[in-house]
Amino acid sequence: MEIIKEQTAIRLKNVDSFKPLHIFECGQAFRWSFDGYGYVGVVKDRVIRIIEEGTDIILENSNIDDFHNIWKKYFDLDRDYSLIKKQLATCDSIMKKAISFGHGIRILNQDPWETLISFIISANNNIDRIGKTIENICRVYGDKLIWQGKAYYTFPSPQILANGDMDILRKCGCGYRDKYILSTANMVAADVNRLYELRNLPYDEAFEYLLEFPGVGPKVADCVLLFSLGKSEAFPVDVWIRRIVEYLYFNGEDINSKDLKRLAMGKFGDLAGFAQQYLFYYARENNIGK
DNA sequence: TTCCAGGTATGCA
DNA sequence: TGCATACCTGGA
């Protein structure tokens, strides 16, 4: 990968496995949207636009320091995705097809706190509404950032949200999840470091800890572990994954989530999370099993 | 009007 | 443990 500094952007040449469409539409993040030029998102207190130009990737509104301090880690650029895909493709022909379809997927290293709240909101919800609800929360409780004449908002801290108002959260579109968000925010605010230190714990211990937060069940816990705490062995089982696995691997036979997860983690090992993303994107984009 | 959507909490056997 | 049921909300 070649890193080229431009006036207000960073241009990446020869990046392995980096397709914005795949990365931002594979279900791992909710705050990225295509604005006609590229995908714009807010990460920490930065607004950035990711543009695909031929084989180059442009990070608009970034300097070289931010690239090394924030974006390299966020976009998982130190990982060899070609090797991961090569290893997973040997598992079976279904996986091979899914990888070919979502070849530019990367698993982002997102903020655990934001990921925790975002996936609590995702439960029994639809993607459109999840995104709108999160934006509403940011607009009410986050800090305003202006870029190119447009307003963007940061994701509020645990302390800010812990002092939030149930009625306001309800008006943001949280629905019955308002109380889960408020309770979880209070628990995290009481010991913020603990959430971030889960990265250093074994998968099982981190999983059990996350289940203690209200509104967090096995699926949400696995999403937080995979998308923000570096646990690549996590295999979140949602309706799409269940559909595609039952349809393609088990002839449509019903499999319970626990068994499905155990089978997948056994089959794909430390690469289970990557396998999940390729399967999820393949299933949802092609409406497989529905 | 009714149903459904990236699950979870709750109650009961 | 395992299973059934209710749950905000808004768009189809």
Side-chain angles (χ1 to χ4, degrees):
Chain A
M1 179 177 74
E2 194 182 342
I3 304 158
I4 298 167
K5 189 172 162 269
E6 298 188 345
Q7 203 163 17
T8 56
I10 297 295
R11 179 182 292 267
L12 305 178
K13 285 186 168 293
N14 306 314
V15 205
D16 170 45
S17 311
F18 193 125
K19 191 162 182 61
L21 175 74
H22 295 173
I23 292 171
F24 301 123
E25 305 288 349
C26 71
Q28 59 179 321
F30 301 104
R31 295 206 70 201
W32 290 89
S33 59
F34 190 75
D35 70 350
Y37 303 99
Y39 281 88
V40 181
V42 181
V43 177
K44 300 178 191 286
D45 58 351
R46 303 287 202 278
V47 185
I48 191 169
R49 182 186 284 123
I50 308 299
I51 299 171
E52 189 179 18
E53 196 178 274
T55 55
D56 292 357
I57 295 295
I58 300 165
L59 284 67
E60 227 180 45
N61 199 27
S62 171
N63 56 39
I64 199 76
D65 287 342
D66 278 2
F67 176 76
H68 287 293
N69 295 332
I70 301 173
W71 307 118
K72 202 158 77 171
K73 176 72 180 164
Y74 184 83
F75 287 107
D76 210 20
L77 290 168
D78 287 327
R79 200 187 296 274
D80 185 350
Y81 277 76
S82 286
L83 182 63
I84 289 169
K85 290 188 281 188
K86 199 173 161 189
Q87 289 174 338
L88 282 176
T90 63
C91 291
D92 59 71
S93 61
I94 295 164
M95 183 54 65
K96 201 171 172 180
K97 210 180 282 182
I99 289 170
S100 164
F101 184 79
H103 58 88
I105 288 175
R106 286 180 162 268
I107 294 186
L108 301 171
N109 284 299
Q110 301 180 73
D111 176 68
W113 155 245
E114 179 176 335
T115 308
L116 177 61
I117 296 301
S118 298
F119 280 92
I120 286 176
I121 293 168
S122 79
N124 192 26
N125 212 336
N126 64 60
I127 295 171
D128 190 40
R129 247 166 47 80
I130 298 163
K132 281 179 184 164
T133 301
I134 294 171
E135 282 313 306
N136 288 340
I137 291 174
C138 293
R139 196 168 295 120
V140 173
Y141 290 110
D143 294 327
K144 193 177 192 175
L145 306 168
I146 302 286
W147 182 55
Q148 295 187 337
K150 204 178 158 200
Y152 298 88
Y153 298 87
T154 62
F155 193 87
S157 68
Q159 289 78 11
I160 295 278
L161 218 48
N163 290 309
D165 183 273
M166 191 96 87
D167 289 336
I168 291 175
L169 284 174
R170 183 60 70 101
K171 284 197 179 77
C172 286
C174 298
Y176 63 87
R177 307 166 195 82
D178 54 2
K179 52 187 177 295
Y180 301 152
I181 292 168
L182 218 46
S183 301
T184 295
N186 274 282
M187 288 167 72
V188 173
D191 189 359
V192 177
N193 291 336
R194 185 76 198 274
L195 178 64
Y196 288 80
E197 283 162 4
L198 294 181
R199 179 175 280 278
N200 305 319
L201 291 182
Y203 167 83
D204 288 335
E205 280 181 50
F207 181 77
E208 291 303 323
Y209 180 77
L210 286 170
L211 290 184
E212 289 173 21
F213 293 109
V216 176
K219 192 270 178 179
V220 171
D222 274 327
C223 285
V224 176
L225 289 170
L226 179 59
F227 302 139
S228 69
L229 289 164
K231 302 297 177 200
S232 64
E233 64 269 55
F235 190 90
V237 177
D238 57 39
V239 287
W240 289 101
I241 284 295
R242 184 196 298 281
R243 279 175 194 152
I244 191 172
V245 171
E246 288 175 352
Y247 180 77
L248 295 175
Y249 289 89
F250 291 94
N251 248 334
E253 185 191 334
D254 279 354
I255 312 285
N256 75 53
S257 295
K258 225 171 175 176
D259 289 342
L260 203 161
K261 178 176 160 178
R262 197 165 40 231
L263 284 168
M265 289 179 82
K267 183 176 168 81
F268 302 119
D270 280 348
L271 301 181
F274 299 101
Q276 195 270 4
Q277 284 295 276
Y278 292 120
L279 286 174
F280 175 86
Y281 185 63
Y282 181 56
R284 212 190 68 192
E285 295 298 311
N286 295 290
N287 251 321
I288 289 175
K290 199 176 180 183

